[in-house]
Amino acid sequence: KERPAIPEAPMFEMPVELSGKSTEDKLIDINKMLHKAGADCTILSALDEVAWTFNIRGTDVAYNPVVISYAFVSEKESVLFVNPKKIPAEIAEHLKKEGVTLADYGMLATFLSRLPEQTRVFIDSKRTNVAIYNALPKSSILIEGTSPANHLKSIKNETEIKGFRNAVLKDSIAMTKFYFWLEKMLKAGEKVTELSAAAKLTALRSEQPQYVMDSFASISSYGPHGAVVHYSPTPETDTELKTDSLYLLDSGAQYLDGTTDITRTIALCDEPSEQMKKDFTRALKGTIGIAKCKFPAGIRGCLIDAFARKALWDAGINYLHGTCHGIGHCLNVHEGPQSIRMEENPVILEPGMVMSDEPAMYRPGEYGIRTENMILIREDSETEFGKFLGFETLTLCYIDTKLVIPSMLSVREHAWLNKYHQMVYDLVSPHLTEEEKAWLKEKTAEI
């Protein structure tokens, strides 16, 4: 009875200039996949799938720019079920021109109950609730699998990839300004807490063009809190940052041209312990291991996961979460269907997928370490043994070399880190003040 009302805030459009593909073309692509699967239609329940398909965004769910809605897609008709109060007139007109029928959010079950007998309905059972299943006529023939929209959404087009590049640059400017501010504050003896640090970063991000919202609640974690994998500070747990431990900050933002997700771990102490440095370097070797990984086309993420864990495993260390998840384009910061993790996932890694790269290690009661970049799967080469793919690192933010033991890095890893830092400085520094630029120069100096 206390269930809150569905938000009535208006949706907004994701124009083709940013999405790279019209709704009409996306519906054609979905129907092609339905035809290939032997299905007549599908129901989209996942909000990010609906938002992607119809090039709409909203503010109905915290951190995720989606709209409370459902959709029905077939060659005969495509219906968007949404509260009519949420649709501005110009968007309604545009959707109709793209061949979309608009219907009230509460009409889905009635609509589905009237489907012709023996309709072949494609259902992604992992992303569809039982109420929808029960609304289908008993004669319906179900075809189960990964939603076509989910698969298509995971492979970014060139417009979306360009948007991601813009978004990570804006995000990196905010991140650099934040770490510069943080260091200054702590040196001056000013009080900074986990919550006030997260609020400062949000404020800096909000100054960037096309900022919409943060992409999740910042995991701003000092010392032992860093060892709690999905820690999120509250007024009850909020801790002051002091110059005697590590600070792990996992954060991100939604920009109209892309979504960001980044983690950096920095030493707030002048002299990190040998254990801290060894742990950090081993986890960093995992981040670089994925970044430099080259692999044959057609393989699954679990076959690559060991590249992230090898240096940690050698020391008898492991982490119990995934290494890489998909990232939406001005959509959910966690998206599938692809992943790189120890568990089996049958989804093939394909060019155009944007993912995280976040090996980690945690010492309960002491600290946590995670270095996370965003990566893009690209075609790498073709030999007599077939096509090979690789990763391009998108994120542009310095890595705290005070925590790196250079002798633990291979020649290739050492070269990667120096080359990465040169790229960070070259692309970010033109957007900084002279004082910030000099500071970044020092942070990205060759080791």
Side-chain angles (χ1 to χ4, degrees):
K1 290 180 181 177
E2 291 78 28
R3 182 178 183 176
I6 293 173
E8 292 187 353
M11 65 173 71
F12 57 94
E13 192 174 19
M14 174 60 71
V16 170
E17 294 75 30
L18 294 175
S19 68
K21 203 161 205 177
S22 70
T23 294
E24 186 178 9
D25 286 341
K26 289 178 179 181
L27 291 169
I28 289 169
D29 289 343
I30 291 171
N31 279 308
K32 281 179 183 174
M33 291 187 72
L34 291 175
H35 182 73
K36 196 174 176 183
D40 301 315
C41 61
T42 189
I43 302 132
L44 305 183
S45 300
L47 302 187
D48 59 338
E49 291 180 24
V50 180
W52 177 84
T53 301
F54 295 92
N55 283 336
I56 55 173
R57 300 293 188 270
T59 56
D60 291 356
V61 180
Y63 307 113
N64 303 284
V66 294
V67 179
I68 303 288
S69 53
Y70 288 106
F72 174 87
V73 178
S74 72
E75 279 192 346
K76 291 181 180 177
E77 61 180 336
S78 297
V79 187
L80 175 62
F81 295 87
V82 65
N83 181 345
K85 292 179 182 176
K86 299 178 66 61
I87 314 174
E90 63 274 16
I91 295 181
E93 191 62 33
H94 186 241
L95 286 169
K96 286 172 186 173
K97 284 180 182 174
E98 299 260 27
V100 179
T101 301
L102 299 174
D104 189 271
Y105 180 74
M107 292 301 295
L108 177 69
T110 303
F111 177 90
L112 294 178
S113 70
R114 294 171 180 166
L115 288 177
E117 288 201 3
Q118 304 294 308
T119 297
R120 295 167 297 175
V121 184
F122 191 101
I123 287 280
D124 188 335
S125 59
K126 292 179 181 177
R127 299 164 76 83
T128 306
N129 67 48
V130 74
I132 289 173
Y133 171 82
N134 289 339
L136 294 168
K138 299 301 179 193
S139 67
S140 300
I141 300 163
L142 298 188
I143 299 169
E144 292 196 28
T146 298
S147 166
N150 197 24
H151 176 79
L152 291 165
K153 172 172 59 62
S154 71
I155 301 168
K156 278 42 180 180
N157 59 50
E158 288 304 319
T159 301
E160 290 173 315
I161 291 169
K162 183 183 175 184
F164 272 113
R165 295 191 199 285
N166 293 338
V168 296
L169 176 58
K170 289 182 283 194
D171 213 53
S172 300
I173 295 164
M175 292 291 295
T176 304
K177 288 178 178 291
F178 167 77
Y179 283 117
F180 172 76
W181 167 85
L182 179 61
E183 190 173 293
K184 228 175 170 182
M185 290 288 284
L186 294 179
K187 277 183 178 175
E190 298 287 343
K191 182 178 179 178
V192 180
T193 71
E194 292 169 332
L195 281 176
S196 68
K200 177 66 176 179
L201 180 53
T202 295
L204 289 168
R205 280 186 164 124
S206 68
E207 294 172 2
Q208 294 299 317
Q210 298 177 308
Y211 169 86
V212 179
M213 62 176 89
D214 285 358
S215 55
F216 56 98
S218 293
I219 301 171
S220 176
S221 48
Y222 164 77
H225 286 165
V228 181
V229 179
H230 291 117
Y231 172 78
S232 192
T234 65
E236 292 72 36
T237 64
D238 192 20
T239 300
E240 184 177 351
L241 308 188
K242 295 180 180 175
T243 55
D244 62 355
S245 191
L246 304 183
Y247 176 52
L248 185 157
L249 178 59
D250 186 348
S251 65
Q254 300 285 4
Y255 301 94
L256 281 177
D257 45 6
T259 300
T260 64
D261 186 3
I262 174 174
T263 310
R264 288 293 182 266
T265 307
I266 64 169
L268 299 183
C269 44
D270 290 331
E271 290 298 329
S273 69
E274 193 69 9
Q275 179 183 272
M276 286 175 176
K277 291 194 280 190
K278 283 181 177 177
D279 287 343
F280 183 91
T281 306
R282 288 184 182 115
L284 176 61
K285 285 167 74 72
T287 305
I288 300 172
I290 292 291
K292 290 195 67 63
C293 180
K294 185 174 172 179
F295 56 95
I299 69 168
R300 310 177 309 284
C302 62
L303 300 179
I304 291 175
D305 191 67
F307 285 90
R309 299 177 190 265
K310 174 72 166 62
L312 294 164
W313 284 350
D314 286 345
I317 298 168
N318 195 23
Y319 56 94
L320 298 178
H321 59 71
T323 300
C324 309
H325 59 79
I327 298 172
H329 179 257
C330 190
L331 270 177
N332 299 1
V333 75
H334 279 203
E335 75 166 22
Q338 80 277 17
S339 65
I340 296 175
R341 56 191 307 123
M342 290 192 291
E343 297 85 358
E344 169 63 19
N345 178 352
V347 176
I348 301 300
L349 299 179
E350 297 185 56
M353 289 178 169
V354 172
M355 305 181 74
S356 65
D357 172 10
E358 48 184 314
M361 72 83 52
Y362 308 96
R363 290 198 182 274
E366 294 184 56
Y367 53 77
I369 289 168
R370 191 161 66 247
T371 299
E372 175 190 15
N373 287 332
M374 288 168 56
I375 51 176
L376 166 69
I377 302 179
R378 283 290 203 190
E379 291 184 359
D380 182 276
S381 57
E382 189 167 0
T383 71
E384 65 268 35
F385 299 99
K387 284 186 179 179
F388 282 79
L389 309 179
F391 296 106
E392 175 191 340
T393 297
L394 298 175
T395 303
L396 300 165
C397 185
Y398 84 95
I399 293 165
D400 190 358
T401 53
K402 191 160 60 171
L403 284 164
V404 177
I405 300 176
S407 61
M408 287 178 64
L409 299 177
S410 69
V411 172
R412 290 176 80 235
E413 291 165 343
H414 193 276
W416 181 93
L417 184 57
N418 283 335
K419 187 178 177 183
Y420 175 73
H421 271 151
Q422 186 62 54
M423 178 176 73
V424 169
Y425 182 79
D426 289 346
L427 294 176
V428 178
S429 63
H431 306 277
L432 305 176
T433 66
E434 289 305 315
E435 192 181 5
E436 291 164 344
K437 199 180 290 187
W439 179 87
L440 183 61
K441 186 75 173 173
E442 189 182 310
K443 295 294 181 186
T444 56
E446 281 197 7
I447 60 167

